Amino acid sequence: MAVPEPRFVLSKNVVLEQYHKVESIADIVSYSSKTNQKVSRILEDNTDCLFSVHMENELKHVRDMSRILFLSQGWTQDKIEELYNLGIRYFVVDNESDLDILLETLENRDWKINLMLRLKLKENSLRTERFFVFGMPSAVINQRIGELKENPKIDKLGIHFHRKTQNVSEWKLQRDIENVLSPETIDAIDILNIGGGLPSKYANSNADVIVGIFKRVTDFRDYLHGKNVQLMIEPGRFIAAPAGKLVTHVTGVYDNNVIVNASVYNSDMDAILVPVKLRVEGELDNKSGEPFVIKGCTPCSMDLFRYRVYLGKKPEIGDTITFINAGAYNFRSDFCDLEEIETEIVE
């Protein structure tokens, strides 16, 4: 039995609704483009947000380069000049080596840029229990910010940090920042970029804490305003995830196993990397439904959308299985030469 091809459905209205939620708690919103580049197009046409970009390859998804916040890693003077000539003026620098290359590039050039230094901030989660390996120690940040404050080539000076995705617990930002940054450093900066990490709803996560997180971010913005510092935030998952659905079709059923015509490898790499598990439209609680395993279309043991999902009835071949909250990090691999799944953008 032939079934329709799987497809993503991306809602423009939900994208904008989520964006405006974040906009209400921050001075500057910079959408993390890597989360879903198709969302970047919607935001560029309908908002004034910036776009956090890690690789030059991503730049093709945004037309106005003045709205790019470029996060560097291992660059050269030629590369910096190329980016500047494209019109990019916001830069985040990860380490002292990259910073020194940038400062050497600025010499003898009549440039003006906005610069943020990436701070290595401790995490206390069970998953990491360590310092991130990206960013600079606080002692370096405090020293280099002091040196950069009077640099005439730098317009706005700031600090950037980023915590893990789906961060549901570590939002006491004022305490954390005051523990690592000197008062002189806070007084010297114009922008504090707290990165992303706002959680979204998945089958194996709890996003009911979002109201509390928004309250803490708002309190932190008030604190920064008292220091004449603007708060920047880089949402990705929070905007993109609820805007996307993955519509698949059942191609096989045996025992309590359901096979759909898509794979985590070409639609939901998040299930392996983070891992988060997509919710299924219409799924029930464990007292109301019958448990099923939903497998991808390859025989790989990791190609598993859901290990246990409760449905009202046993699916049949040809039925539709729709995964919700599927708009974030839905990039694909070329595993088994799987094809890219098309995205339909709707209002």
Side-chain angles (χ1 to χ4, degrees):
M1 176 181 179
V3 297
E5 293 293 320
R7 72 184 192 285
F8 284 106
V9 178
L10 181 66
S11 168
K12 173 183 170 182
N13 288 337
V14 176
V15 166
L16 297 179
E17 179 183 310
Q18 291 296 105
Y19 168 80
H20 291 306
K21 289 178 183 175
V22 181
E23 185 186 36
S24 70
I25 61 170
D27 300 306
I28 307 169
V29 178
S30 186
Y31 171 69
S32 184
S33 176
K34 67 182 187 299
T35 314
N36 184 332
Q37 284 87 0
K38 291 180 174 59
V39 170
S40 299
R41 298 285 177 86
I42 296 173
L43 291 174
E44 184 174 21
D45 290 341
N46 295 278
T47 75
D48 59 358
C49 77
L50 303 181
F51 298 92
S52 296
V53 170
H54 296 72
M55 301 293 294
E56 290 173 84
N57 291 346
E58 294 180 76
L59 294 176
K60 61 180 176 291
H61 300 292
V62 178
R63 292 182 290 270
D64 183 356
M65 294 295 108
S66 70
R67 295 171 66 175
I68 296 293
L69 173 68
F70 194 88
L71 292 93
S72 73
Q73 187 70 271
W75 57 5
T76 64
Q77 290 196 20
D78 288 344
K79 191 61 64 182
I80 294 168
E81 183 156 12
E82 184 180 326
L83 294 170
Y84 185 89
N85 289 337
L86 286 173
I88 298 173
R89 297 293 182 268
Y90 286 89
F91 297 96
V92 176
V93 175
D94 175 81
N95 54 73
E96 283 194 281
S97 173
D98 283 348
L99 175 59
D100 289 337
I101 292 171
L102 173 64
L103 295 177
E104 290 170 10
T105 308
L106 289 176
E107 289 180 3
N108 303 318
R109 287 179 169 85
D110 185 22
W111 289 4
K112 200 89 168 178
I113 66 167
N114 306 300
L115 176 63
M116 295 175 216
L117 306 189
R118 185 170 181 176
L119 169 67
K120 186 186 297 184
L121 194 63
K122 185 179 182 180
E123 287 205 3
N124 298 303
S125 72
L126 292 174
R127 182 176 294 278
T128 59
E129 284 190 331
R130 57 175 170 74
F131 286 87
F132 269 165
V133 297
F134 292 95
M136 291 171 258
S138 58
V140 173
I141 294 284
N142 287 324
Q143 176 193 337
R144 301 303 294 260
I145 286 290
E147 296 169 358
L148 293 167
K149 177 60 179 172
E150 302 303 326
N151 190 319
K153 306 292 179 66
I154 297 173
D155 186 9
K156 293 184 182 301
L157 181 61
I159 293 172
H160 169 279
F161 65 87
H162 183 71
R163 283 180 162 159
K164 63 183 180 295
T165 189
Q166 285 290 98
N167 178 17
V168 297
S169 60
E170 297 181 90
W171 292 96
K172 293 180 179 177
L173 300 169
Q174 181 177 338
R175 179 199 64 186
D176 291 349
I177 288 301
E178 287 182 333
N179 282 341
V180 296
L181 297 182
S182 69
E184 293 78 13
T185 296
I186 297 175
D187 287 342
I189 61 175
D190 304 291
I191 299 171
L192 188 63
N193 182 347
I194 64 174
L198 294 174
S200 195
K201 295 180 181 178
Y202 295 97
N204 57 338
S205 68
N206 174 21
D208 293 337
V209 293
I210 196 65
V211 173
I213 291 173
F214 269 44
K215 173 68 167 56
R216 286 187 170 175
V217 173
T218 301
D219 290 345
F220 186 57
R221 180 181 61 176
D222 293 342
Y223 160 77
L224 292 178
H225 285 179
K227 307 288 185 183
N228 292 319
V229 176
Q230 288 188 302
L231 174 69
M232 179 184 284
I233 191 167
E234 292 181 303
R237 184 184 298 276
F238 185 79
I239 291 177
K245 293 183 178 182
L246 171 61
V247 182
T248 69
H249 301 275
V250 176
T251 59
V253 181
Y254 66 94
D255 301 329
N256 69 331
N257 295 279
V258 178
I259 303 169
V260 297
N261 62 342
S263 166
V264 296
Y265 290 103
N266 72 341
S267 64
D268 184 28
M269 291 290 290
D270 227 17
I272 297 174
L273 298 175
V274 175
V276 291
K277 299 297 183 183
L278 298 176
R279 292 185 295 152
V280 175
E281 197 166 73
E283 72 174 284
L284 304 173
D285 61 44
N286 58 4
K287 295 179 181 176
S288 306
E290 185 179 352
F292 293 94
V293 178
I294 301 182
K295 297 179 175 178
C297 58
T298 77
C300 173
S301 61
M302 295 177 68
D303 198 356
L304 195 64
F305 282 98
R306 290 287 298 276
Y307 177 71
R308 187 175 297 272
V309 59
Y310 292 88
L311 302 175
K313 68 179 183 66
K314 189 170 188 174
E316 298 178 354
I317 293 175
D319 283 355
T320 298
I321 297 283
T322 299
F323 298 96
I324 57 179
N325 243 48
Y329 299 103
N330 52 1
F331 55 91
R332 73 181 184 92
S333 72
D334 59 1
F335 180 68
C336 293
D337 276 348
L338 289 160
E339 299 288 342
E340 181 178 0
I341 295 176
E342 296 295 322
T343 297
E344 175 188 1
I345 298 177
V346 299
E347 290 297 317

